[in-house]
Amino acid sequence: MYLLGMALLDSLNPAAISILIFILPMVKKTWHALFFIGGAFMTYLITGLIFYYGIDRFLKQWLLSLLHIYPRASSITGMVSGIILIGVGVVLTIRVVRSFRNKEKEGQHSGISDIKDVHPMMLLGLSITSTLGDAPTSIPYIVFISHLTEQHVPFPVMMMYLIVYCFIFVLPMLILYFAYGFLQGKFKSIEAVTRKIMNNLSKYAFPAMAYAAGIWLFYISK
C-alpha cells in the first residue's frame, strides 16, 4: 500500500504527460511514442537503483555521522529547511489564490502541432533527459526508496518493488497512449481537458508536497 500510494502520487507528473500529449500527434507511427514511455520507465528504474545504493551506502551513513558529530547544528538545519519548505508552500498557495482571483487563462500553444515527423531516437533521448531532470526533485520516489533501504530486502525483491513502482509511474502515459489510439478524432478535446487537469493538479500537488516535506523535516529535527 505504501508503494502504491507513493507511486500513484509520483505518476501525476504534469511535465512528462504534457510532453507526451504534444508528441502523440507529431509521430509518423503511433507506436513510436512507446520509445518515450519506455525510455522514461528504464531511466526511472536505473535512477532508482542509483538512489537505492547511494542512499543506503553513502548518503544515509554520511547524514548519520553528521547527526552524531553535530546534533545541535543538524537539528537547526533541519528545522530551518522545514520552515523554508513551508514558506515555499505558502508562496505557491498565494499564487494559486491569485490565479483564481485574476481568472488567468491558459495560452494556446502554436506551431508544435505542425511538426509531423519526429524520429524515435529523438523521443528516446527526450524521455531520458526529461526524466533525469525530474528525478532529483521527485520527493515520493526518494521517500519510497529511503523507506525501502530500511527494510533490507533481498535484491530480487527490491528489483520487483522498483519495477512495479516505475510501471505505476508510467501508467498514466500508457493510458493516454492507448486512449489516443482509440480516440484520435476526439484527441484535441481530450488534450485540452487533460492539460487543464494536469495544470490544476500541479497547482495543488506542489504546495501540498512542500507543506508535507516541510512539516516532516521540522518535526523530526526538533
Side-chain angles (χ1 to χ4, degrees), residues 66-97:
L66 284 180
L67 287 172
H68 286 298
I69 299 171
Y70 308 106
R72 187 181 295 272
S74 300
S75 178
I76 293 172
T77 302
M79 293 176 71
V80 170
S81 300
I83 292 170
I84 291 172
L85 281 171
I86 293 171
V88 170
V90 171
V91 171
L92 292 174
T93 302
I94 291 172
R95 288 183 179 178
V96 172
V97 173

PDB file of all heavy atoms in Angstrom, residues 66-97:
ATOM      1  N   LEU A  66      26.915  12.949  10.574  1.00  0.00           N
ATOM      2  CA  LEU A  66      26.733  14.373  10.876  1.00  0.00           C
ATOM      3  C   LEU A  66      25.841  14.571  12.096  1.00  0.00           C
ATOM      4  O   LEU A  66      26.087  15.453  12.928  1.00  0.00           O
ATOM      5  CB  LEU A  66      26.132  15.094   9.673  1.00  0.00           C
ATOM      6  CG  LEU A  66      27.052  15.394   8.490  1.00  0.00           C
ATOM      7  CD1 LEU A  66      26.285  16.104   7.388  1.00  0.00           C
ATOM      8  CD2 LEU A  66      28.239  16.253   8.920  1.00  0.00           C
ATOM      9  N   LEU A  67      24.787  13.735  12.194  1.00  0.00           N
ATOM     10  CA  LEU A  67      23.869  13.848  13.331  1.00  0.00           C
ATOM     11  C   LEU A  67      24.579  13.558  14.653  1.00  0.00           C
ATOM     12  O   LEU A  67      24.297  14.178  15.680  1.00  0.00           O
ATOM     13  CB  LEU A  67      22.688  12.892  13.145  1.00  0.00           C
ATOM     14  CG  LEU A  67      21.655  13.289  12.083  1.00  0.00           C
ATOM     15  CD1 LEU A  67      20.654  12.165  11.864  1.00  0.00           C
ATOM     16  CD2 LEU A  67      20.922  14.560  12.499  1.00  0.00           C
ATOM     17  N   HIS A  68      25.508  12.590  14.613  1.00  0.00           N
ATOM     18  CA  HIS A  68      26.230  12.234  15.832  1.00  0.00           C
ATOM     19  C   HIS A  68      27.275  13.294  16.188  1.00  0.00           C
ATOM     20  O   HIS A  68      27.485  13.591  17.358  1.00  0.00           O
ATOM     21  CB  HIS A  68      26.903  10.873  15.672  1.00  0.00           C
ATOM     22  CG  HIS A  68      25.943   9.725  15.717  1.00  0.00           C
ATOM     23  ND1 HIS A  68      25.165   9.436  16.827  1.00  0.00           N
ATOM     24  CD2 HIS A  68      25.617   8.788  14.790  1.00  0.00           C
ATOM     25  CE1 HIS A  68      24.402   8.382  16.580  1.00  0.00           C
ATOM     26  NE2 HIS A  68      24.654   7.971  15.349  1.00  0.00           N
ATOM     27  N   ILE A  69      27.937  13.841  15.178  1.00  0.00           N
ATOM     28  CA  ILE A  69      29.017  14.807  15.437  1.00  0.00           C
ATOM     29  C   ILE A  69      28.455  16.185  15.746  1.00  0.00           C
ATOM     30  O   ILE A  69      28.922  16.875  16.650  1.00  0.00           O
ATOM     31  CB  ILE A  69      29.968  14.875  14.225  1.00  0.00           C
ATOM     32  CG1 ILE A  69      30.614  13.500  13.987  1.00  0.00           C
ATOM     33  CG2 ILE A  69      31.056  15.918  14.449  1.00  0.00           C
ATOM     34  CD1 ILE A  69      31.398  13.407  12.693  1.00  0.00           C
ATOM     35  N   TYR A  70      27.443  16.614  14.976  1.00  0.00           N
ATOM     36  CA  TYR A  70      26.865  17.951  15.140  1.00  0.00           C
ATOM     37  C   TYR A  70      25.349  17.849  15.380  1.00  0.00           C
ATOM     38  O   TYR A  70      24.549  18.239  14.528  1.00  0.00           O
ATOM     39  CB  TYR A  70      27.127  18.814  13.898  1.00  0.00           C
ATOM     40  CG  TYR A  70      28.571  18.861  13.475  1.00  0.00           C
ATOM     41  CD1 TYR A  70      28.997  18.168  12.347  1.00  0.00           C
ATOM     42  CD2 TYR A  70      29.505  19.610  14.188  1.00  0.00           C
ATOM     43  CE1 TYR A  70      30.319  18.217  11.937  1.00  0.00           C
ATOM     44  CE2 TYR A  70      30.828  19.672  13.793  1.00  0.00           C
ATOM     45  CZ  TYR A  70      31.235  18.961  12.666  1.00  0.00           C
ATOM     46  OH  TYR A  70      32.543  19.014  12.266  1.00  0.00           O
ATOM     47  N   PRO A  71      24.936  17.329  16.518  1.00  0.00           N
ATOM     48  CA  PRO A  71      23.488  17.134  16.738  1.00  0.00           C
ATOM     49  C   PRO A  71      22.698  18.436  16.738  1.00  0.00           C
ATOM     50  O   PRO A  71      21.619  18.522  16.149  1.00  0.00           O
ATOM     51  CB  PRO A  71      23.426  16.447  18.102  1.00  0.00           C
ATOM     52  CG  PRO A  71      24.737  16.771  18.760  1.00  0.00           C
ATOM     53  CD  PRO A  71      25.732  16.899  17.671  1.00  0.00           C
ATOM     54  N   ARG A  72      23.234  19.487  17.422  1.00  0.00           N
ATOM     55  CA  ARG A  72      22.508  20.748  17.507  1.00  0.00           C
ATOM     56  C   ARG A  72      22.418  21.434  16.138  1.00  0.00           C
ATOM     57  O   ARG A  72      21.347  21.899  15.728  1.00  0.00           O
ATOM     58  CB  ARG A  72      23.177  21.687  18.508  1.00  0.00           C
ATOM     59  CG  ARG A  72      22.379  22.971  18.768  1.00  0.00           C
ATOM     60  CD  ARG A  72      23.133  23.857  19.743  1.00  0.00           C
ATOM     61  NE  ARG A  72      23.226  23.230  21.040  1.00  0.00           N
ATOM     62  CZ  ARG A  72      22.312  23.345  21.995  1.00  0.00           C
ATOM     63  NH1 ARG A  72      21.228  24.079  21.763  1.00  0.00           N
ATOM     64  NH2 ARG A  72      22.452  22.762  23.155  1.00  0.00           N
ATOM     65  N   ALA A  73      23.556  21.485  15.434  1.00  0.00           N
ATOM     66  CA  ALA A  73      23.575  22.122  14.115  1.00  0.00           C
ATOM     67  C   ALA A  73      22.678  21.380  13.129  1.00  0.00           C
ATOM     68  O   ALA A  73      21.975  22.001  12.320  1.00  0.00           O
ATOM     69  CB  ALA A  73      25.012  22.176  13.574  1.00  0.00           C
ATOM     70  N   SER A  74      22.680  20.040  13.208  1.00  0.00           N
ATOM     71  CA  SER A  74      21.829  19.245  12.318  1.00  0.00           C
ATOM     72  C   SER A  74      20.362  19.514  12.598  1.00  0.00           C
ATOM     73  O   SER A  74      19.538  19.618  11.682  1.00  0.00           O
ATOM     74  CB  SER A  74      22.139  17.755  12.496  1.00  0.00           C
ATOM     75  OG  SER A  74      23.487  17.478  12.179  1.00  0.00           O
ATOM     76  N   SER A  75      20.027  19.627  13.893  1.00  0.00           N
ATOM     77  CA  SER A  75      18.641  19.902  14.267  1.00  0.00           C
ATOM     78  C   SER A  75      18.193  21.269  13.761  1.00  0.00           C
ATOM     79  O   SER A  75      17.103  21.400  13.190  1.00  0.00           O
ATOM     80  CB  SER A  75      18.496  19.834  15.789  1.00  0.00           C
ATOM     81  OG  SER A  75      17.180  20.142  16.180  1.00  0.00           O
ATOM     82  N   ILE A  76      19.061  22.276  13.944  1.00  0.00           N
ATOM     83  CA  ILE A  76      18.724  23.627  13.488  1.00  0.00           C
ATOM     84  C   ILE A  76      18.581  23.662  11.972  1.00  0.00           C
ATOM     85  O   ILE A  76      17.651  24.271  11.427  1.00  0.00           O
ATOM     86  CB  ILE A  76      19.791  24.637  13.964  1.00  0.00           C
ATOM     87  CG1 ILE A  76      19.750  24.765  15.487  1.00  0.00           C
ATOM     88  CG2 ILE A  76      19.588  25.998  13.303  1.00  0.00           C
ATOM     89  CD1 ILE A  76      20.884  25.575  16.067  1.00  0.00           C
ATOM     90  N   THR A  77      19.508  22.983  11.265  1.00  0.00           N
ATOM     91  CA  THR A  77      19.461  22.942   9.799  1.00  0.00           C
ATOM     92  C   THR A  77      18.171  22.295   9.309  1.00  0.00           C
ATOM     93  O   THR A  77      17.523  22.783   8.373  1.00  0.00           O
ATOM     94  CB  THR A  77      20.666  22.164   9.242  1.00  0.00           C
ATOM     95  OG1 THR A  77      21.875  22.784   9.681  1.00  0.00           O
ATOM     96  CG2 THR A  77      20.632  22.137   7.715  1.00  0.00           C
ATOM     97  N   GLY A  78      17.782  21.190   9.955  1.00  0.00           N
ATOM     98  CA  GLY A  78      16.540  20.514   9.568  1.00  0.00           C
ATOM     99  C   GLY A  78      15.325  21.382   9.800  1.00  0.00           C
ATOM    100  O   GLY A  78      14.424  21.445   8.951  1.00  0.00           O
ATOM    101  N   MET A  79      15.298  22.085  10.946  1.00  0.00           N
ATOM    102  CA  MET A  79      14.156  22.944  11.247  1.00  0.00           C
ATOM    103  C   MET A  79      14.081  24.132  10.290  1.00  0.00           C
ATOM    104  O   MET A  79      12.995  24.487   9.821  1.00  0.00           O
ATOM    105  CB  MET A  79      14.245  23.438  12.691  1.00  0.00           C
ATOM    106  CG  MET A  79      14.073  22.335  13.732  1.00  0.00           C
ATOM    107  SD  MET A  79      14.282  22.894  15.435  1.00  0.00           S
ATOM    108  CE  MET A  79      12.789  23.852  15.646  1.00  0.00           C
ATOM    109  N   VAL A  80      15.232  24.722   9.983  1.00  0.00           N
ATOM    110  CA  VAL A  80      15.258  25.840   9.040  1.00  0.00           C
ATOM    111  C   VAL A  80      14.821  25.379   7.653  1.00  0.00           C
ATOM    112  O   VAL A  80      14.038  26.058   6.971  1.00  0.00           O
ATOM    113  CB  VAL A  80      16.672  26.467   8.979  1.00  0.00           C
ATOM    114  CG1 VAL A  80      16.774  27.465   7.832  1.00  0.00           C
ATOM    115  CG2 VAL A  80      17.004  27.152  10.293  1.00  0.00           C
ATOM    116  N   SER A  81      15.314  24.200   7.235  1.00  0.00           N
ATOM    117  CA  SER A  81      14.914  23.660   5.924  1.00  0.00           C
ATOM    118  C   SER A  81      13.412  23.404   5.883  1.00  0.00           C
ATOM    119  O   SER A  81      12.745  23.668   4.869  1.00  0.00           O
ATOM    120  CB  SER A  81      15.667  22.355   5.636  1.00  0.00           C
ATOM    121  OG  SER A  81      17.058  22.564   5.613  1.00  0.00           O
ATOM    122  N   GLY A  82      12.869  22.894   7.000  1.00  0.00           N
ATOM    123  CA  GLY A  82      11.429  22.666   7.071  1.00  0.00           C
ATOM    124  C   GLY A  82      10.642  23.956   6.959  1.00  0.00           C
ATOM    125  O   GLY A  82       9.640  24.032   6.244  1.00  0.00           O
ATOM    126  N   ILE A  83      11.116  24.997   7.655  1.00  0.00           N
ATOM    127  CA  ILE A  83      10.445  26.299   7.591  1.00  0.00           C
ATOM    128  C   ILE A  83      10.496  26.866   6.172  1.00  0.00           C
ATOM    129  O   ILE A  83       9.516  27.436   5.674  1.00  0.00           O
ATOM    130  CB  ILE A  83      11.089  27.281   8.591  1.00  0.00           C
ATOM    131  CG1 ILE A  83      10.791  26.821  10.030  1.00  0.00           C
ATOM    132  CG2 ILE A  83      10.588  28.702   8.369  1.00  0.00           C
ATOM    133  CD1 ILE A  83      11.562  27.573  11.088  1.00  0.00           C
ATOM    134  N   ILE A  84      11.650  26.712   5.507  1.00  0.00           N
ATOM    135  CA  ILE A  84      11.794  27.194   4.131  1.00  0.00           C
ATOM    136  C   ILE A  84      10.803  26.487   3.206  1.00  0.00           C
ATOM    137  O   ILE A  84      10.134  27.116   2.375  1.00  0.00           O
ATOM    138  CB  ILE A  84      13.237  27.005   3.630  1.00  0.00           C
ATOM    139  CG1 ILE A  84      14.181  27.960   4.367  1.00  0.00           C
ATOM    140  CG2 ILE A  84      13.329  27.243   2.117  1.00  0.00           C
ATOM    141  CD1 ILE A  84      15.645  27.726   4.081  1.00  0.00           C
ATOM    142  N   LEU A  85      10.693  25.164   3.360  1.00  0.00           N
ATOM    143  CA  LEU A  85       9.760  24.406   2.521  1.00  0.00           C
ATOM    144  C   LEU A  85       8.311  24.813   2.794  1.00  0.00           C
ATOM    145  O   LEU A  85       7.508  24.922   1.861  1.00  0.00           O
ATOM    146  CB  LEU A  85       9.934  22.906   2.765  1.00  0.00           C
ATOM    147  CG  LEU A  85      11.131  22.255   2.067  1.00  0.00           C
ATOM    148  CD1 LEU A  85      11.318  20.824   2.553  1.00  0.00           C
ATOM    149  CD2 LEU A  85      10.954  22.278   0.552  1.00  0.00           C
ATOM    150  N   ILE A  86       7.988  25.042   4.050  1.00  0.00           N
ATOM    151  CA  ILE A  86       6.637  25.516   4.379  1.00  0.00           C
ATOM    152  C   ILE A  86       6.406  26.886   3.746  1.00  0.00           C
ATOM    153  O   ILE A  86       5.325  27.181   3.221  1.00  0.00           O
ATOM    154  CB  ILE A  86       6.440  25.579   5.902  1.00  0.00           C
ATOM    155  CG1 ILE A  86       6.452  24.161   6.495  1.00  0.00           C
ATOM    156  CG2 ILE A  86       5.128  26.284   6.258  1.00  0.00           C
ATOM    157  CD1 ILE A  86       6.476  24.107   8.004  1.00  0.00           C
ATOM    158  N   GLY A  87       7.451  27.741   3.778  1.00  0.00           N
ATOM    159  CA  GLY A  87       7.362  29.049   3.120  1.00  0.00           C
ATOM    160  C   GLY A  87       7.129  28.921   1.628  1.00  0.00           C
ATOM    161  O   GLY A  87       6.335  29.682   1.046  1.00  0.00           O
ATOM    162  N   VAL A  88       7.816  27.949   0.997  1.00  0.00           N
ATOM    163  CA  VAL A  88       7.593  27.696  -0.435  1.00  0.00           C
ATOM    164  C   VAL A  88       6.141  27.295  -0.672  1.00  0.00           C
ATOM    165  O   VAL A  88       5.499  27.737  -1.638  1.00  0.00           O
ATOM    166  CB  VAL A  88       8.553  26.593  -0.945  1.00  0.00           C
ATOM    167  CG1 VAL A  88       8.167  26.155  -2.351  1.00  0.00           C
ATOM    168  CG2 VAL A  88       9.995  27.091  -0.926  1.00  0.00           C
ATOM    169  N   GLY A  89       5.615  26.443   0.229  1.00  0.00           N
ATOM    170  CA  GLY A  89       4.212  26.046   0.114  1.00  0.00           C
ATOM    171  C   GLY A  89       3.270  27.237   0.226  1.00  0.00           C
ATOM    172  O   GLY A  89       2.284  27.335  -0.508  1.00  0.00           O
ATOM    173  N   VAL A  90       3.601  28.173   1.116  1.00  0.00           N
ATOM    174  CA  VAL A  90       2.773  29.374   1.277  1.00  0.00           C
ATOM    175  C   VAL A  90       2.807  30.219   0.002  1.00  0.00           C
ATOM    176  O   VAL A  90       1.766  30.694  -0.472  1.00  0.00           O
ATOM    177  CB  VAL A  90       3.263  30.211   2.484  1.00  0.00           C
ATOM    178  CG1 VAL A  90       2.561  31.572   2.518  1.00  0.00           C
ATOM    179  CG2 VAL A  90       3.011  29.454   3.784  1.00  0.00           C
ATOM    180  N   VAL A  91       4.018  30.394  -0.560  1.00  0.00           N
ATOM    181  CA  VAL A  91       4.163  31.184  -1.803  1.00  0.00           C
ATOM    182  C   VAL A  91       3.364  30.554  -2.938  1.00  0.00           C
ATOM    183  O   VAL A  91       2.645  31.246  -3.676  1.00  0.00           O
ATOM    184  CB  VAL A  91       5.647  31.306  -2.197  1.00  0.00           C
ATOM    185  CG1 VAL A  91       5.790  31.925  -3.591  1.00  0.00           C
ATOM    186  CG2 VAL A  91       6.404  32.145  -1.179  1.00  0.00           C
ATOM    187  N   LEU A  92       3.458  29.218  -3.067  1.00  0.00           N
ATOM    188  CA  LEU A  92       2.716  28.531  -4.129  1.00  0.00           C
ATOM    189  C   LEU A  92       1.208  28.640  -3.903  1.00  0.00           C
ATOM    190  O   LEU A  92       0.440  28.775  -4.854  1.00  0.00           O
ATOM    191  CB  LEU A  92       3.142  27.065  -4.194  1.00  0.00           C
ATOM    192  CG  LEU A  92       4.578  26.807  -4.661  1.00  0.00           C
ATOM    193  CD1 LEU A  92       4.931  25.323  -4.538  1.00  0.00           C
ATOM    194  CD2 LEU A  92       4.773  27.264  -6.101  1.00  0.00           C
ATOM    195  N   THR A  93       0.799  28.579  -2.638  1.00  0.00           N
ATOM    196  CA  THR A  93      -0.626  28.720  -2.326  1.00  0.00           C
ATOM    197  C   THR A  93      -1.131  30.111  -2.704  1.00  0.00           C
ATOM    198  O   THR A  93      -2.228  30.257  -3.252  1.00  0.00           O
ATOM    199  CB  THR A  93      -0.868  28.467  -0.827  1.00  0.00           C
ATOM    200  OG1 THR A  93      -0.393  27.155  -0.482  1.00  0.00           O
ATOM    201  CG2 THR A  93      -2.354  28.560  -0.495  1.00  0.00           C
ATOM    202  N   ILE A  94      -0.321  31.132  -2.397  1.00  0.00           N
ATOM    203  CA  ILE A  94      -0.699  32.508  -2.760  1.00  0.00           C
ATOM    204  C   ILE A  94      -0.859  32.640  -4.272  1.00  0.00           C
ATOM    205  O   ILE A  94      -1.783  33.293  -4.768  1.00  0.00           O
ATOM    206  CB  ILE A  94       0.357  33.499  -2.230  1.00  0.00           C
ATOM    207  CG1 ILE A  94       0.304  33.553  -0.698  1.00  0.00           C
ATOM    208  CG2 ILE A  94       0.138  34.897  -2.814  1.00  0.00           C
ATOM    209  CD1 ILE A  94       1.426  34.338  -0.057  1.00  0.00           C
ATOM    210  N   ARG A  95       0.042  31.994  -5.019  1.00  0.00           N
ATOM    211  CA  ARG A  95      -0.061  32.044  -6.479  1.00  0.00           C
ATOM    212  C   ARG A  95      -1.350  31.394  -6.967  1.00  0.00           C
ATOM    213  O   ARG A  95      -1.982  31.881  -7.908  1.00  0.00           O
ATOM    214  CB  ARG A  95       1.146  31.346  -7.115  1.00  0.00           C
ATOM    215  CG  ARG A  95       2.450  32.120  -6.981  1.00  0.00           C
ATOM    216  CD  ARG A  95       3.565  31.412  -7.697  1.00  0.00           C
ATOM    217  NE  ARG A  95       4.812  32.154  -7.600  1.00  0.00           N
ATOM    218  CZ  ARG A  95       5.964  31.743  -8.117  1.00  0.00           C
ATOM    219  NH1 ARG A  95       6.025  30.578  -8.753  1.00  0.00           N
ATOM    220  NH2 ARG A  95       7.058  32.470  -7.984  1.00  0.00           N
ATOM    221  N   VAL A  96      -1.733  30.277  -6.328  1.00  0.00           N
ATOM    222  CA  VAL A  96      -2.978  29.603  -6.717  1.00  0.00           C
ATOM    223  C   VAL A  96      -4.167  30.516  -6.447  1.00  0.00           C
ATOM    224  O   VAL A  96      -5.068  30.667  -7.286  1.00  0.00           O
ATOM    225  CB  VAL A  96      -3.132  28.274  -5.941  1.00  0.00           C
ATOM    226  CG1 VAL A  96      -4.511  27.670  -6.198  1.00  0.00           C
ATOM    227  CG2 VAL A  96      -2.056  27.283  -6.357  1.00  0.00           C
ATOM    228  N   VAL A  97      -4.181  31.160  -5.265  1.00  0.00           N
ATOM    229  CA  VAL A  97      -5.276  32.068  -4.911  1.00  0.00           C
ATOM    230  C   VAL A  97      -5.345  33.230  -5.898  1.00  0.00           C
ATOM    231  O   VAL A  97      -6.422  33.620  -6.363  1.00  0.00           O
ATOM    232  CB  VAL A  97      -5.100  32.587  -3.472  1.00  0.00           C
ATOM    233  CG1 VAL A  97      -6.136  33.659  -3.158  1.00  0.00           C
ATOM    234  CG2 VAL A  97      -5.221  31.432  -2.479  1.00  0.00           C
TER     235      VAL A  97
END
